[in-house]
Amino acid sequence: MKIDIRDGDDGVTHVVLDGRLDIEGVNAIDMKMNVVAGSKNKVVVDLAGVDFMGSLGMRTLVVAAKTVANKGGKLVLLQPQPNVDRALRTSGIDTVIPIAADSVSAAALVS
Amino acid sequence: MTEAERWRRDFPVTVAETVATARWLDTIAVEQALPGETAYAMQICLEELLGNVLRHGGDDRRASVSVEIDPNRLAMTVEDDARPFDVASAPVKHVHGSLEDLEPGGLGIGLVHDFSDRIEYSRAGLGNRVTVTFTLGKSASETAPGR
């Protein structure tokens, strides 16, 4: 699992995840996600490169989104692959963390 | 081609072995040309079932995963020797309400229900035995074009 964190000129932080967000993947990114969530207010988590996510990965996203929201900020998810999208929507995660189809709407959702 | 094919893997319940078992399942999915949704559903159920044992089962647990495929269905059975836990009857949680009120975690059992067609639990084998069944479309076992 790879994690790449990029701060944009528009004040939006992009967290680009790549790989399997399984039990091993969660262990690999949790610390960095906590740092981002604790320090940034506009966060877009790019899921286009994530080919697996179960409840452990969802837990990581929920913890991060709550941390950002507690500071008055917003975290959104961007372009999950179809199976990951189905898992997120089946669980109802999309009702509390917005899922954006493209980066323009993702940036608008956090602004 | 009506005979079922079977695979089985026994292992100590660790993070590394859980990951290795997930890769083993992927290999079966590729070799058997399973539909992508079925392969994903198997992976979701595997992670949730073994994750429960990892988090709540205590130390030095063993598990086995077996897969049986026939033309119409795939059955994945996960056994473990942790304390009794009936995942088929356990409460299911889905997200509702606000992010502020949401307690992280606990969504795994709901995913197992949502991604499988059937869940059966019994006290058998190593202790807990859970069989999740997935209905296979024609594409998994028959590649004949048309209907």
Side-chain angles (χ1 to χ4, degrees):
Chain A
M1 186 80 214
K2 293 178 188 166
I3 179 169
D4 185 26
I5 299 159
R6 305 169 189 162
D7 286 321
D9 295 336
D10 54 0
V12 177
T13 300
H14 287 259
V15 178
V16 182
L17 301 179
D18 186 32
R20 286 175 63 93
L21 198 46
D22 57 6
I23 189 166
E24 196 175 46
V26 164
N27 287 341
I29 68 159
D30 256 354
M31 182 75 81
K32 286 184 178 176
M33 284 295 290
N34 287 342
V35 171
V36 169
S39 58
K40 308 293 182 184
N41 272 2
K42 299 176 181 179
V43 181
V44 173
V45 181
D46 187 336
L47 296 176
V50 174
D51 54 15
F52 176 82
M53 186 191 303
S55 69
L56 296 173
M58 292 179 199
R59 185 183 192 285
T60 293
L61 296 178
V62 168
V63 168
K66 283 177 71 83
T67 303
V68 173
N70 285 341
K71 298 185 278 112
K74 198 152 188 185
L75 180 149
V76 306
L77 307 176
L78 173 62
Q79 284 181 330
Q81 294 182 16
N83 281 322
V84 173
D85 187 70
R86 178 187 165 202
L88 289 166
R89 294 181 191 279
T90 297
S91 297
I93 292 290
D94 61 311
T95 65
V96 290
I97 307 177
I99 299 176
D102 57 71
S103 52
V104 173
S105 50
L109 282 167
V110 296
S111 296
Chain B
M1 272 279 293
T2 55
E3 250 181 56
E5 294 198 59
R6 297 181 181 83
W7 297 261
R8 181 182 167 105
R9 187 172 195 271
D10 295 83
F11 52 94
V13 183
T14 63
V15 170
E17 285 296 327
T18 299
V19 172
T21 305
R23 290 187 180 135
W24 172 78
L25 269 190
D26 262 345
T27 303
I28 295 171
V30 169
E31 287 176 357
Q32 299 301 309
L34 295 177
E37 317 87 75
T38 306
Y40 194 89
M42 285 167 65
Q43 292 286 339
I44 285 263
C45 292
L46 179 79
E47 177 174 284
E48 306 309 340
L49 294 171
L50 290 182
N52 276 339
V53 182
L54 270 171
R55 290 193 298 279
H56 309 300
D59 296 330
D60 300 325
R61 295 303 182 189
R62 292 201 65 84
S64 73
V65 175
S66 50
V67 176
E68 183 176 313
I69 302 177
D70 69 30
N72 301 313
R73 74 190 234 304
L74 183 152
M76 180 173 75
T77 298
V78 178
E79 294 180 4
D80 67 70
D81 64 359
R83 63 176 170 271
F85 177 64
D86 180 357
V87 68
S89 304
V92 171
K93 172 183 169 182
H94 288 99
V95 173
H96 54 83
S98 67
L99 180 62
E100 288 69 28
D101 296 333
L102 176 62
E103 289 295 323
L107 299 170
I109 293 172
L111 284 172
V112 175
H113 280 271
D114 292 332
F115 275 79
S116 65
D117 295 306
R118 187 175 179 186
I119 307 175
E120 296 165 276
Y121 172 84
S122 61
R123 292 289 295 165
L126 294 176
N128 294 297
R129 174 183 286 170
V130 182
T131 298
V132 284
T133 306
F134 311 92
T135 303
L136 293 176
K138 288 185 176 181
S139 60
S141 52
E142 298 176 15
T143 52
R147 291 178 59 85

